[in-house]
PDB file of all heavy atoms in Angstrom:
ATOM      1  N   TYR Y   1       2.871  -2.019   2.344  1.00  0.00           N
ATOM      2  CA  TYR Y   1       1.505  -2.484   2.119  1.00  0.00           C
ATOM      3  C   TYR Y   1       1.540  -3.645   1.124  1.00  0.00           C
ATOM      4  O   TYR Y   1       1.536  -3.431  -0.088  1.00  0.00           O
ATOM      5  CB  TYR Y   1       0.634  -1.344   1.592  1.00  0.00           C
ATOM      6  CG  TYR Y   1       0.544  -0.189   2.549  1.00  0.00           C
ATOM      7  CD1 TYR Y   1       1.468   0.851   2.507  1.00  0.00           C
ATOM      8  CD2 TYR Y   1      -0.448  -0.151   3.520  1.00  0.00           C
ATOM      9  CE1 TYR Y   1       1.398   1.901   3.408  1.00  0.00           C
ATOM     10  CE2 TYR Y   1      -0.525   0.892   4.422  1.00  0.00           C
ATOM     11  CZ  TYR Y   1       0.403   1.919   4.358  1.00  0.00           C
ATOM     12  OH  TYR Y   1       0.342   2.963   5.255  1.00  0.00           O
ATOM     13  N   PRO Y   2       1.561  -4.882   1.607  1.00  0.00           N
ATOM     14  CA  PRO Y   2       1.726  -6.038   0.705  1.00  0.00           C
ATOM     15  C   PRO Y   2       0.640  -6.166  -0.353  1.00  0.00           C
ATOM     16  O   PRO Y   2       0.896  -6.698  -1.436  1.00  0.00           O
ATOM     17  CB  PRO Y   2       1.685  -7.236   1.669  1.00  0.00           C
ATOM     18  CG  PRO Y   2       2.105  -6.691   2.986  1.00  0.00           C
ATOM     19  CD  PRO Y   2       1.566  -5.296   3.025  1.00  0.00           C
ATOM     20  N   LEU Y   3      -0.574  -5.694  -0.063  1.00  0.00           N
ATOM     21  CA  LEU Y   3      -1.662  -5.838  -1.022  1.00  0.00           C
ATOM     22  C   LEU Y   3      -1.726  -4.695  -2.025  1.00  0.00           C
ATOM     23  O   LEU Y   3      -2.539  -4.738  -2.950  1.00  0.00           O
ATOM     24  CB  LEU Y   3      -3.012  -5.908  -0.277  1.00  0.00           C
ATOM     25  CG  LEU Y   3      -3.156  -6.988   0.789  1.00  0.00           C
ATOM     26  CD1 LEU Y   3      -4.536  -6.896   1.428  1.00  0.00           C
ATOM     27  CD2 LEU Y   3      -2.943  -8.366   0.184  1.00  0.00           C
ATOM     28  N   THR Y   4      -0.864  -3.696  -1.856  1.00  0.00           N
ATOM     29  CA  THR Y   4      -1.031  -2.442  -2.583  1.00  0.00           C
ATOM     30  C   THR Y   4       0.212  -1.995  -3.332  1.00  0.00           C
ATOM     31  O   THR Y   4       0.139  -1.099  -4.162  1.00  0.00           O
ATOM     32  CB  THR Y   4      -1.449  -1.325  -1.594  1.00  0.00           C
ATOM     33  OG1 THR Y   4      -2.442  -1.832  -0.708  1.00  0.00           O
ATOM     34  CG2 THR Y   4      -2.019  -0.120  -2.305  1.00  0.00           C
ATOM     35  N   SER Y   5       1.369  -2.572  -3.047  1.00  0.00           N
ATOM     36  CA  SER Y   5       2.619  -2.070  -3.617  1.00  0.00           C
ATOM     37  C   SER Y   5       2.580  -2.057  -5.146  1.00  0.00           C
ATOM     38  O   SER Y   5       3.087  -1.132  -5.786  1.00  0.00           O
ATOM     39  CB  SER Y   5       3.797  -2.901  -3.125  1.00  0.00           C
ATOM     40  OG  SER Y   5       3.619  -4.269  -3.434  1.00  0.00           O
ATOM     41  N   ASP Y   6       1.952  -3.070  -5.752  1.00  0.00           N
ATOM     42  CA  ASP Y   6       1.883  -3.113  -7.213  1.00  0.00           C
ATOM     43  C   ASP Y   6       1.044  -1.963  -7.754  1.00  0.00           C
ATOM     44  O   ASP Y   6       1.377  -1.353  -8.779  1.00  0.00           O
ATOM     45  CB  ASP Y   6       1.317  -4.454  -7.677  1.00  0.00           C
ATOM     46  CG  ASP Y   6      -0.092  -4.721  -7.141  1.00  0.00           C
ATOM     47  OD1 ASP Y   6      -0.411  -4.216  -6.047  1.00  0.00           O
ATOM     48  OD2 ASP Y   6      -0.855  -5.422  -7.830  1.00  0.00           O
ATOM     49  N   LEU Y   7      -0.055  -1.631  -7.061  1.00  0.00           N
ATOM     50  CA  LEU Y   7      -0.938  -0.556  -7.508  1.00  0.00           C
ATOM     51  C   LEU Y   7      -0.254   0.801  -7.373  1.00  0.00           C
ATOM     52  O   LEU Y   7      -0.399   1.662  -8.248  1.00  0.00           O
ATOM     53  CB  LEU Y   7      -2.235  -0.586  -6.705  1.00  0.00           C
ATOM     54  CG  LEU Y   7      -3.315   0.421  -7.102  1.00  0.00           C
ATOM     55  CD1 LEU Y   7      -3.728   0.213  -8.550  1.00  0.00           C
ATOM     56  CD2 LEU Y   7      -4.532   0.292  -6.187  1.00  0.00           C
ATOM     57  N   ILE Y   8       0.501   1.009  -6.288  1.00  0.00           N
ATOM     58  CA  ILE Y   8       1.220   2.271  -6.101  1.00  0.00           C
ATOM     59  C   ILE Y   8       2.245   2.459  -7.211  1.00  0.00           C
ATOM     60  O   ILE Y   8       2.378   3.545  -7.784  1.00  0.00           O
ATOM     61  CB  ILE Y   8       1.893   2.314  -4.716  1.00  0.00           C
ATOM     62  CG1 ILE Y   8       0.830   2.341  -3.608  1.00  0.00           C
ATOM     63  CG2 ILE Y   8       2.803   3.537  -4.591  1.00  0.00           C
ATOM     64  CD1 ILE Y   8       1.402   2.263  -2.214  1.00  0.00           C
ATOM     65  N   LYS Y   9       2.981   1.392  -7.519  1.00  0.00           N
ATOM     66  CA  LYS Y   9       3.995   1.483  -8.583  1.00  0.00           C
ATOM     67  C   LYS Y   9       3.361   1.779  -9.938  1.00  0.00           C
ATOM     68  O   LYS Y   9       3.899   2.539 -10.738  1.00  0.00           O
ATOM     69  CB  LYS Y   9       4.790   0.185  -8.647  1.00  0.00           C
ATOM     70  CG  LYS Y   9       5.701  -0.054  -7.454  1.00  0.00           C
ATOM     71  CD  LYS Y   9       6.383  -1.410  -7.544  1.00  0.00           C
ATOM     72  CE  LYS Y   9       7.241  -1.670  -6.320  1.00  0.00           C
ATOM     73  NZ  LYS Y   9       7.877  -3.022  -6.371  1.00  0.00           N
ATOM     74  N   LYS Y  10       2.199   1.180 -10.183  1.00  0.00           N
ATOM     75  CA  LYS Y  10       1.555   1.314 -11.491  1.00  0.00           C
ATOM     76  C   LYS Y  10       0.843   2.648 -11.641  1.00  0.00           C
ATOM     77  O   LYS Y  10       0.946   3.312 -12.685  1.00  0.00           O
ATOM     78  CB  LYS Y  10       0.569   0.169 -11.701  1.00  0.00           C
ATOM     79  CG  LYS Y  10      -0.163   0.228 -13.030  1.00  0.00           C
ATOM     80  CD  LYS Y  10      -1.127  -0.938 -13.166  1.00  0.00           C
ATOM     81  CE  LYS Y  10      -1.901  -0.877 -14.483  1.00  0.00           C
ATOM     82  NZ  LYS Y  10      -2.852  -2.009 -14.610  1.00  0.00           N
ATOM     83  N   SER Y  11       0.104   3.045 -10.614  1.00  0.00           N
ATOM     84  CA  SER Y  11      -0.806   4.181 -10.750  1.00  0.00           C
ATOM     85  C   SER Y  11      -0.449   5.400  -9.918  1.00  0.00           C
ATOM     86  O   SER Y  11      -1.025   6.470 -10.112  1.00  0.00           O
ATOM     87  CB  SER Y  11      -2.238   3.731 -10.390  1.00  0.00           C
ATOM     88  OG  SER Y  11      -2.622   2.608 -11.155  1.00  0.00           O
ATOM     89  N   GLY Y  12       0.465   5.236  -8.959  1.00  0.00           N
ATOM     90  CA  GLY Y  12       0.813   6.348  -8.086  1.00  0.00           C
ATOM     91  C   GLY Y  12       0.004   6.341  -6.805  1.00  0.00           C
ATOM     92  O   GLY Y  12      -1.044   5.704  -6.707  1.00  0.00           O
ATOM     93  N   LYS Y  13       0.494   7.077  -5.818  1.00  0.00           N
ATOM     94  CA  LYS Y  13      -0.104   7.064  -4.483  1.00  0.00           C
ATOM     95  C   LYS Y  13      -1.534   7.585  -4.482  1.00  0.00           C
ATOM     96  O   LYS Y  13      -2.422   6.995  -3.867  1.00  0.00           O
ATOM     97  CB  LYS Y  13       0.759   7.899  -3.538  1.00  0.00           C
ATOM     98  CG  LYS Y  13       0.236   7.949  -2.118  1.00  0.00           C
ATOM     99  CD  LYS Y  13       1.171   8.728  -1.218  1.00  0.00           C
ATOM    100  CE  LYS Y  13       1.201  10.199  -1.565  1.00  0.00           C
ATOM    101  NZ  LYS Y  13       1.979  10.999  -0.595  1.00  0.00           N
ATOM    102  N   GLU Y  14      -1.792   8.691  -5.177  1.00  0.00           N
ATOM    103  CA  GLU Y  14      -3.103   9.318  -5.109  1.00  0.00           C
ATOM    104  C   GLU Y  14      -4.195   8.407  -5.663  1.00  0.00           C
ATOM    105  O   GLU Y  14      -5.263   8.258  -5.068  1.00  0.00           O
ATOM    106  CB  GLU Y  14      -3.089  10.658  -5.861  1.00  0.00           C
ATOM    107  CG  GLU Y  14      -2.195  11.704  -5.229  1.00  0.00           C
ATOM    108  CD  GLU Y  14      -2.591  11.996  -3.796  1.00  0.00           C
ATOM    109  OE1 GLU Y  14      -3.805  12.030  -3.507  1.00  0.00           O
ATOM    110  OE2 GLU Y  14      -1.696  12.188  -2.960  1.00  0.00           O
ATOM    111  N   GLU Y  15      -3.915   7.762  -6.797  1.00  0.00           N
ATOM    112  CA  GLU Y  15      -4.920   6.867  -7.374  1.00  0.00           C
ATOM    113  C   GLU Y  15      -5.091   5.620  -6.506  1.00  0.00           C
ATOM    114  O   GLU Y  15      -6.206   5.113  -6.351  1.00  0.00           O
ATOM    115  CB  GLU Y  15      -4.522   6.466  -8.794  1.00  0.00           C
ATOM    116  CG  GLU Y  15      -5.588   5.637  -9.487  1.00  0.00           C
ATOM    117  CD  GLU Y  15      -5.320   5.461 -10.970  1.00  0.00           C
ATOM    118  OE1 GLU Y  15      -4.625   6.318 -11.555  1.00  0.00           O
ATOM    119  OE2 GLU Y  15      -5.806   4.460 -11.532  1.00  0.00           O
ATOM    120  N   ALA Y  16      -3.987   5.128  -5.937  1.00  0.00           N
ATOM    121  CA  ALA Y  16      -4.076   3.952  -5.070  1.00  0.00           C
ATOM    122  C   ALA Y  16      -4.969   4.222  -3.872  1.00  0.00           C
ATOM    123  O   ALA Y  16      -5.719   3.343  -3.425  1.00  0.00           O
ATOM    124  CB  ALA Y  16      -2.685   3.525  -4.609  1.00  0.00           C
ATOM    125  N   LEU Y  17      -4.925   5.447  -3.348  1.00  0.00           N
ATOM    126  CA  LEU Y  17      -5.715   5.787  -2.171  1.00  0.00           C
ATOM    127  C   LEU Y  17      -7.216   5.799  -2.443  1.00  0.00           C
ATOM    128  O   LEU Y  17      -8.018   5.808  -1.516  1.00  0.00           O
ATOM    129  CB  LEU Y  17      -5.272   7.139  -1.611  1.00  0.00           C
ATOM    130  CG  LEU Y  17      -3.953   7.130  -0.836  1.00  0.00           C
ATOM    131  CD1 LEU Y  17      -3.515   8.542  -0.515  1.00  0.00           C
ATOM    132  CD2 LEU Y  17      -4.082   6.307   0.432  1.00  0.00           C
ATOM    133  N   LEU Y  18      -7.604   5.803  -3.718  1.00  0.00           N
ATOM    134  CA  LEU Y  18      -9.022   5.737  -4.049  1.00  0.00           C
ATOM    135  C   LEU Y  18      -9.621   4.383  -3.665  1.00  0.00           C
ATOM    136  O   LEU Y  18     -10.832   4.253  -3.526  1.00  0.00           O
ATOM    137  CB  LEU Y  18      -9.227   5.997  -5.546  1.00  0.00           C
ATOM    138  CG  LEU Y  18      -8.826   7.391  -6.039  1.00  0.00           C
ATOM    139  CD1 LEU Y  18      -8.977   7.476  -7.549  1.00  0.00           C
ATOM    140  CD2 LEU Y  18      -9.662   8.468  -5.348  1.00  0.00           C
ATOM    141  N   ASN Y  19      -8.753   3.382  -3.497  1.00  0.00           N
ATOM    142  CA  ASN Y  19      -9.206   2.053  -3.076  1.00  0.00           C
ATOM    143  C   ASN Y  19      -8.550   1.728  -1.737  1.00  0.00           C
ATOM    144  O   ASN Y  19      -7.630   0.928  -1.657  1.00  0.00           O
ATOM    145  CB  ASN Y  19      -8.837   1.015  -4.139  1.00  0.00           C
ATOM    146  CG  ASN Y  19      -9.397  -0.363  -3.815  1.00  0.00           C
ATOM    147  OD1 ASN Y  19     -10.110  -0.544  -2.824  1.00  0.00           O
ATOM    148  ND2 ASN Y  19      -9.066  -1.335  -4.638  1.00  0.00           N
ATOM    149  N   ALA Y  20      -9.032   2.368  -0.670  1.00  0.00           N
ATOM    150  CA  ALA Y  20      -8.394   2.246   0.642  1.00  0.00           C
ATOM    151  C   ALA Y  20      -8.465   0.834   1.198  1.00  0.00           C
ATOM    152  O   ALA Y  20      -7.668   0.470   2.070  1.00  0.00           O
ATOM    153  CB  ALA Y  20      -9.017   3.233   1.628  1.00  0.00           C
ATOM    154  N   SER Y  21      -9.404   0.007   0.693  1.00  0.00           N
ATOM    155  CA  SER Y  21      -9.511  -1.350   1.217  1.00  0.00           C
ATOM    156  C   SER Y  21      -8.239  -2.154   0.966  1.00  0.00           C
ATOM    157  O   SER Y  21      -7.950  -3.103   1.696  1.00  0.00           O
ATOM    158  CB  SER Y  21     -10.713  -2.062   0.597  1.00  0.00           C
ATOM    159  OG  SER Y  21     -10.554  -2.225  -0.801  1.00  0.00           O
ATOM    160  N   ARG Y  22      -7.457  -1.771  -0.027  1.00  0.00           N
ATOM    161  CA  ARG Y  22      -6.226  -2.502  -0.314  1.00  0.00           C
ATOM    162  C   ARG Y  22      -5.095  -2.106   0.636  1.00  0.00           C
ATOM    163  O   ARG Y  22      -4.002  -2.649   0.542  1.00  0.00           O
ATOM    164  CB  ARG Y  22      -5.805  -2.286  -1.766  1.00  0.00           C
ATOM    165  CG  ARG Y  22      -6.764  -2.923  -2.756  1.00  0.00           C
ATOM    166  CD  ARG Y  22      -6.230  -2.905  -4.163  1.00  0.00           C
ATOM    167  NE  ARG Y  22      -5.014  -3.694  -4.301  1.00  0.00           N
ATOM    168  CZ  ARG Y  22      -4.330  -3.808  -5.432  1.00  0.00           C
ATOM    169  NH1 ARG Y  22      -4.741  -3.182  -6.519  1.00  0.00           N
ATOM    170  NH2 ARG Y  22      -3.232  -4.524  -5.491  1.00  0.00           N
ATOM    171  N   PHE Y  23      -5.362  -1.166   1.534  1.00  0.00           N
ATOM    172  CA  PHE Y  23      -4.377  -0.773   2.540  1.00  0.00           C
ATOM    173  C   PHE Y  23      -4.677  -1.417   3.888  1.00  0.00           C
ATOM    174  O   PHE Y  23      -4.124  -1.013   4.904  1.00  0.00           O
ATOM    175  CB  PHE Y  23      -4.351   0.747   2.692  1.00  0.00           C
ATOM    176  CG  PHE Y  23      -3.756   1.470   1.514  1.00  0.00           C
ATOM    177  CD1 PHE Y  23      -4.518   1.753   0.393  1.00  0.00           C
ATOM    178  CD2 PHE Y  23      -2.425   1.846   1.517  1.00  0.00           C
ATOM    179  CE1 PHE Y  23      -3.980   2.411  -0.690  1.00  0.00           C
ATOM    180  CE2 PHE Y  23      -1.873   2.513   0.442  1.00  0.00           C
ATOM    181  CZ  PHE Y  23      -2.646   2.791  -0.678  1.00  0.00           C
ATOM    182  N   GLU Y  24      -5.543  -2.412   3.901  1.00  0.00           N
ATOM    183  CA  GLU Y  24      -5.969  -3.001   5.175  1.00  0.00           C
ATOM    184  C   GLU Y  24      -4.946  -3.954   5.774  1.00  0.00           C
ATOM    185  O   GLU Y  24      -5.100  -4.370   6.922  1.00  0.00           O
ATOM    186  CB  GLU Y  24      -7.313  -3.721   4.988  1.00  0.00           C
ATOM    187  CG  GLU Y  24      -8.464  -2.754   4.740  1.00  0.00           C
ATOM    188  CD  GLU Y  24      -9.790  -3.469   4.578  1.00  0.00           C
ATOM    189  OE1 GLU Y  24      -9.837  -4.696   4.817  1.00  0.00           O
ATOM    190  OE2 GLU Y  24     -10.780  -2.804   4.210  1.00  0.00           O
ATOM    191  N   LEU Y  25      -3.911  -4.316   5.029  1.00  0.00           N
ATOM    192  CA  LEU Y  25      -2.820  -5.126   5.567  1.00  0.00           C
ATOM    193  C   LEU Y  25      -1.562  -4.270   5.569  1.00  0.00           C
ATOM    194  O   LEU Y  25      -1.093  -3.817   4.519  1.00  0.00           O
ATOM    195  CB  LEU Y  25      -2.605  -6.387   4.730  1.00  0.00           C
ATOM    196  CG  LEU Y  25      -1.499  -7.323   5.232  1.00  0.00           C
ATOM    197  CD1 LEU Y  25      -1.847  -7.888   6.613  1.00  0.00           C
ATOM    198  CD2 LEU Y  25      -1.249  -8.449   4.240  1.00  0.00           C
ATOM    199  N   ILE Y  26      -1.015  -4.049   6.769  1.00  0.00           N
ATOM    200  CA  ILE Y  26       0.116  -3.143   6.958  1.00  0.00           C
ATOM    201  C   ILE Y  26       1.265  -3.909   7.602  1.00  0.00           C
ATOM    202  O   ILE Y  26       1.067  -4.581   8.621  1.00  0.00           O
ATOM    203  CB  ILE Y  26      -0.287  -1.954   7.864  1.00  0.00           C
ATOM    204  CG1 ILE Y  26      -1.513  -1.233   7.299  1.00  0.00           C
ATOM    205  CG2 ILE Y  26       0.882  -0.997   8.056  1.00  0.00           C
ATOM    206  CD1 ILE Y  26      -2.239  -0.371   8.316  1.00  0.00           C
ATOM    207  N   HIS Y  27       2.439  -3.817   7.025  1.00  0.00           N
ATOM    208  CA  HIS Y  27       3.640  -4.378   7.631  1.00  0.00           C
ATOM    209  C   HIS Y  27       4.579  -3.236   8.017  1.00  0.00           C
ATOM    210  O   HIS Y  27       4.982  -2.451   7.168  1.00  0.00           O
ATOM    211  CB  HIS Y  27       4.353  -5.330   6.658  1.00  0.00           C
ATOM    212  CG  HIS Y  27       3.658  -6.637   6.505  1.00  0.00           C
ATOM    213  ND1 HIS Y  27       4.065  -7.595   5.599  1.00  0.00           N
ATOM    214  CD2 HIS Y  27       2.573  -7.153   7.141  1.00  0.00           C
ATOM    215  CE1 HIS Y  27       3.265  -8.648   5.685  1.00  0.00           C
ATOM    216  NE2 HIS Y  27       2.361  -8.404   6.615  1.00  0.00           N
ATOM    217  N   VAL Y  28       4.877  -3.156   9.289  1.00  0.00           N
ATOM    218  CA  VAL Y  28       5.806  -2.147   9.799  1.00  0.00           C
ATOM    219  C   VAL Y  28       7.155  -2.826  10.033  1.00  0.00           C
ATOM    220  O   VAL Y  28       7.273  -3.687  10.911  1.00  0.00           O
ATOM    221  CB  VAL Y  28       5.284  -1.506  11.101  1.00  0.00           C
ATOM    222  CG1 VAL Y  28       6.229  -0.393  11.557  1.00  0.00           C
ATOM    223  CG2 VAL Y  28       3.871  -0.972  10.907  1.00  0.00           C
ATOM    224  N   HIS Y  29       8.141  -2.463   9.229  1.00  0.00           N
ATOM    225  CA  HIS Y  29       9.487  -3.011   9.376  1.00  0.00           C
ATOM    226  C   HIS Y  29      10.248  -2.110  10.349  1.00  0.00           C
ATOM    227  O   HIS Y  29      10.399  -0.910  10.104  1.00  0.00           O
ATOM    228  CB  HIS Y  29      10.204  -3.049   8.030  1.00  0.00           C
ATOM    229  CG  HIS Y  29       9.560  -3.972   7.041  1.00  0.00           C
ATOM    230  ND1 HIS Y  29      10.049  -5.236   6.787  1.00  0.00           N
ATOM    231  CD2 HIS Y  29       8.460  -3.825   6.258  1.00  0.00           C
ATOM    232  CE1 HIS Y  29       9.290  -5.829   5.879  1.00  0.00           C
ATOM    233  NE2 HIS Y  29       8.318  -4.991   5.546  1.00  0.00           N
ATOM    234  N   VAL Y  30      10.713  -2.679  11.423  1.00  0.00           N
ATOM    235  CA  VAL Y  30      11.299  -1.913  12.519  1.00  0.00           C
ATOM    236  C   VAL Y  30      12.760  -2.316  12.721  1.00  0.00           C
ATOM    237  O   VAL Y  30      13.059  -3.491  12.937  1.00  0.00           O
ATOM    238  CB  VAL Y  30      10.529  -2.148  13.842  1.00  0.00           C
ATOM    239  CG1 VAL Y  30      11.031  -1.200  14.918  1.00  0.00           C
ATOM    240  CG2 VAL Y  30       9.034  -1.996  13.629  1.00  0.00           C
ATOM    241  N   LYS Y  31      13.656  -1.348  12.648  1.00  0.00           N
ATOM    242  CA  LYS Y  31      15.070  -1.582  12.953  1.00  0.00           C
ATOM    243  C   LYS Y  31      15.355  -0.983  14.336  1.00  0.00           C
ATOM    244  O   LYS Y  31      15.173   0.211  14.561  1.00  0.00           O
ATOM    245  CB  LYS Y  31      15.960  -0.920  11.903  1.00  0.00           C
ATOM    246  CG  LYS Y  31      17.456  -0.973  12.191  1.00  0.00           C
ATOM    247  CD  LYS Y  31      17.997  -2.401  12.132  1.00  0.00           C
ATOM    248  CE  LYS Y  31      19.505  -2.422  12.341  1.00  0.00           C
ATOM    249  NZ  LYS Y  31      20.245  -1.793  11.219  1.00  0.00           N
ATOM    250  N   VAL Y  32      15.768  -1.831  15.272  1.00  0.00           N
ATOM    251  CA  VAL Y  32      15.998  -1.387  16.651  1.00  0.00           C
ATOM    252  C   VAL Y  32      17.433  -0.880  16.776  1.00  0.00           C
ATOM    253  O   VAL Y  32      18.379  -1.559  16.368  1.00  0.00           O
ATOM    254  CB  VAL Y  32      15.734  -2.530  17.648  1.00  0.00           C
ATOM    255  CG1 VAL Y  32      15.876  -2.030  19.075  1.00  0.00           C
ATOM    256  CG2 VAL Y  32      14.338  -3.111  17.430  1.00  0.00           C
TER     257      VAL Y  32
END
C-alpha cells in the first residue's frame, strides 16, 4: 500500500485501518 506503509510502520495495522481511504491504492507484486 504505497500511501499507507509509513502509517502502518508508525502506528500499527489496527490504527492504520481507521483511515481506510489511505488503502485506496494497492500494488500487487506477483512472482510467476
Side-chain angles (χ1 to χ4, degrees):
Y1 299 89
L3 304 179
T4 316
S5 57
D6 60 331
L7 184 59
I8 294 175
K9 291 176 183 178
K10 179 180 179 181
S11 306
K13 180 177 68 173
E14 294 302 321
E15 185 169 335
L17 284 171
L18 296 176
N19 185 3
S21 64
R22 292 189 63 182
F23 289 83
E24 291 181 8
L25 181 64
I26 305 161
H27 285 175
V28 184
H29 296 260
V30 188
K31 174 67 177 292
V32 184

